């Protein structure tokens, strides 16, 4: 009953702010999460607020800390009985949103259907829908971290890392209003109307209204050698993957960057999100997703040469939280690696797995080892010989930063590839 009442309240609130909502992200992708019992359902950006709709689904935990179905009896010293445990949830007023590795932070405003000062108990199987309001994230930031509190022995905090949202730069969606022309006062003395000659009934031709052509928008940049920083010629492939004008199965197109300058320019006639990949013979390809609207988008590609000792980070490899199952979003990046290895049949590589420092050291080492082995399994299934692929899991032992802040931890959760032999 409470869930239904809260749903009605949410719909009423949504109706009142609908006109103010600028961008909505349904079920946003999250890089990492502290408590899997809570999920982000939707994020709305208005002129004033970042509104986060969240759901908490209480689980039943007990025997040796394991989770059980809600209706399953749990073994204990007295035999089998139904376990009854509660969770304590709340949303601390000190919560903050962080963007661009902590460059900016945004304060918590208020929460609905969840306490902001104390904690409330949630029975096993109970669902709680609640909303958190923060200051509006500045336009242009498309990923943020939510830090609700520090973990304690009594409860788990609602902390998220790498929440991806739709939030293009302000210049790409705001339009300048034309200046208001001052109204001219009427003449003090109205002129005497002059007699008009008789007119015929011939209709006057209507001049067609001239519609100005939309401003030209492009994706442009330079393709370079990552080692020498010199421009190189590369094939730049692009495809519209989402947006109001996308049909869902858009064919890819490509062009060549300049052989002397490395410059390329993609003229955009349909606005939306584009997948862009730069590739050149003897180099690893590099990809990115770029949002186009009303301004040009600049993106340079620094391509790593294929040579012994070269190391690259496979940035578009995604796993479920604390697991080693590959997400489907990882397949395009791995398929490009398969193409490179087929084109270089003597090349041997080493896959290195890394994690942050959260959790037990041994568990993180095991997780990193399982993840790179899962990447190897995918490559072998695509026809690449397993003898060409080494794997090693370093866990948290080789961080690339201090690993202390929210902005640094996601950078340490990575899969790197080292060329052992060409």
């Amino acid at each position: 009953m409470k869930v239904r009442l809260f749903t009605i309240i949410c719909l009423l609130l949504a109706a009142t702010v609908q006109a103010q909502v600028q961008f909505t992200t349904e079920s946003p992708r999250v890089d990492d999460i502290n408590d899997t019992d809570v999920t982000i359902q939707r994020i709305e950006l208005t002129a004033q607020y970042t509104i986060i709709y969240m759901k908490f689904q209480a689980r039943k935990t007990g025997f040796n800390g394991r989770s059980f179905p809600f209706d399953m009896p749990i073994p204990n010293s007295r035999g089998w009985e139904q376990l009854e445990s509660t969770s304590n949830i709340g949303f601390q007023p000190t919560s903050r949103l962080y963007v661009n590795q902590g460059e900016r932070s945004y304060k918590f405003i208020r929460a609905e259907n969840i306490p902001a000062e104390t904690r409330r108990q949630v029975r096993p199987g109970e669902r709680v829908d609640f909303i958190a309001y923060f200051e509006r994230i500045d336009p242009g930031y498309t990923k943020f971290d939510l830090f609700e509190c520090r973990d304690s022995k009594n409860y788990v905090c609602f902390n998220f890392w790498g929440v991806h949202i739709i939030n293009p730069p302000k210049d790409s969606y705001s339009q300048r209003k034309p200046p208001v022309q001052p109204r001219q006062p009427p003449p003090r003395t109205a002129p005497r109307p002059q007699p008009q000659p008789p007119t015929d009934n011939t209709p006057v031709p209507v001049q067609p209204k001239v519609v100005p052509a939309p401003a030209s928008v492009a994706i442009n940049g330079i393709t370079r050698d990552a080692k020498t920083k010199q421009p190189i010629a590369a094939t730049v492939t692009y495809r519209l993957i989402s947006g109001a004008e996308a049909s869902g199965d858009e064919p890819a197109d490509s062009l060549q960057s300049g052989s002397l300058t490395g410059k390329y320019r993609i003229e955009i006639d349909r606005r939306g999100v584009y997948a862009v990949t730069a590739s050149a013979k003897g180099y690893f390809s590099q990809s990115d997703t770029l949002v186009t609207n009303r301004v040009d988008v600049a993106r340079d590609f620094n391509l790593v040469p294929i040579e012994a000792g070269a190391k690259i980070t496979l940035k578009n490899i995604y796993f479920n939280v604390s697991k080693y199952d590959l997400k489907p979003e990882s397949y395009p990046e791995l398929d490009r690696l398969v193409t490179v290895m087929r084109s270089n049949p003597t090349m041997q590589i080493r896959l290195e797995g890394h994690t942050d420092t959260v959790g037990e050291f041994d568990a993180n080492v095991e997780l990193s080892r399982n993840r790179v082995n899962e990447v190897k399994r995918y490559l072998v299934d695509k026809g690449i010989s397993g003898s060409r692929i080494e794997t090693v899991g370093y866990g948290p032992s080789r961080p690339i930063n201090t690993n202390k802040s929210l902005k640094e931890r996601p950078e340490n959760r990575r899969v790197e590839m080292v060329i052992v032999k060409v």
Side-chain angles (χ1 to χ4, degrees), residues 241-259:
I241 57 176
S242 66
E245 300 177 81
S247 62
D249 56 350
E250 305 291 335
D253 204 347
S254 63
L255 51 79
Q256 199 76 10
S257 63
S259 58

Side-chain angles (χ1 to χ4, degrees), residues 129-164:
D129 294 276
F130 60 96
I131 306 175
Y133 289 77
F134 289 84
E135 294 177 325
R136 171 61 154 89
I137 292 178
D138 292 326
Y141 293 109
T142 57
K143 185 170 68 172
F144 68 82
D145 299 325
L146 167 57
F147 186 76
E148 190 250 332
C149 69
R150 295 186 180 276
D151 292 345
S152 73
K153 296 181 179 179
N154 299 323
Y155 50 79
V156 180
C157 298
F158 298 154
N159 297 334
F160 296 81
W161 294 274
V163 182
H164 297 252

Side-chain angles (χ1 to χ4, degrees), residues 8 24 85-86 137 146 167 201 216 226 260 271 275 279 283 299 304 325 343 377 384 406 422:
I8 295 174
T24 300
S85 63
T86 57
I137 292 178
L146 167 57
N167 186 28
N201 295 327
S216 176
L260 298 179
R271 314 296 167 85
S279 57
Y283 293 85
R299 177 62 165 93
V304 177
D325 305 280
S343 302
R377 185 197 62 78
I384 305 300
L406 293 175
V422 179

